[in-house]
Amino acid sequence: MSHFNPKTNRKFTIRDMKRSLETIEYQKNTEALAKFAKALGHPTRIAILKHLKNQSCCFTGDLVDVFPLAQSTVSQHLKELKNVGLIQGELESPKIKYCINHDNWKIAKALFQDFF
């Protein structure tokens, strides 16, 4: 079927452009890998993980001292890493202590190794 585009003064043809409305089913491991990859998609998060890997645990304020970022920015990066499970936080009022979640760290490492 041909159509006319008045903005370009050209005819264009719509071919059989079918789009599926069905959801794509991914393997559980593929979804987990994508979540880990998305969380690691910011250089600051990678730097935070490298720092935490060399510490047993540390507080948000400690990370603010290490990275030249506002505390709210560091907290947002920590939240993203915690949501995906790469780190865990423990409330030690009035502070939160963060450390690597070693179980999920091993899972992420295995998924990335399998992928590459």
Side-chain angles (χ1 to χ4, degrees):
M1 173 185 291
S2 291
H3 295 280
F4 181 75
N5 184 339
K7 291 182 181 179
T8 61
N9 290 325
R10 293 186 181 160
K11 283 186 178 181
F12 64 95
T13 303
I14 298 177
R15 300 190 193 275
D16 189 21
M17 299 188 307
K18 293 182 181 178
R19 298 232 181 226
S20 174
L21 298 178
E22 297 175 26
T23 57
I24 299 171
E25 295 292 325
Y26 295 106
Q27 291 181 358
K28 187 177 179 182
N29 287 347
T30 303
E31 289 181 0
L33 177 63
K35 288 178 183 179
F36 288 135
K38 183 177 178 181
L40 296 173
H42 196 287
T44 299
R45 293 185 199 135
I46 293 172
I48 288 171
L49 286 171
K50 284 182 176 183
H51 181 77
L52 288 174
K53 192 175 98 172
N54 296 322
Q55 310 286 320
S56 58
C57 289
C58 70
F59 295 99
T60 307
D62 299 332
L63 293 169
V64 171
D65 291 340
V66 172
F67 300 101
L69 301 168
Q71 193 229 333
S72 60
T73 303
V74 171
S75 293
Q76 185 61 40
H77 287 303
L78 290 168
K79 177 183 173 187
E80 294 295 325
L81 292 170
K82 187 176 176 192
N83 284 345
V84 77
L86 288 173
I87 64 171
Q88 54 195 14
E90 184 179 312
L91 182 62
E92 287 191 10
S93 196
K95 301 176 182 179
I96 300 176
K97 180 173 64 173
Y98 291 97
C99 56
I100 297 287
N101 181 329
H102 292 287
D103 293 337
N104 287 340
W105 187 259
K106 288 177 188 174
I107 292 168
K109 185 177 179 180
L111 289 171
F112 278 106
Q113 284 179 334
D114 184 52
F115 180 70
F116 290 114

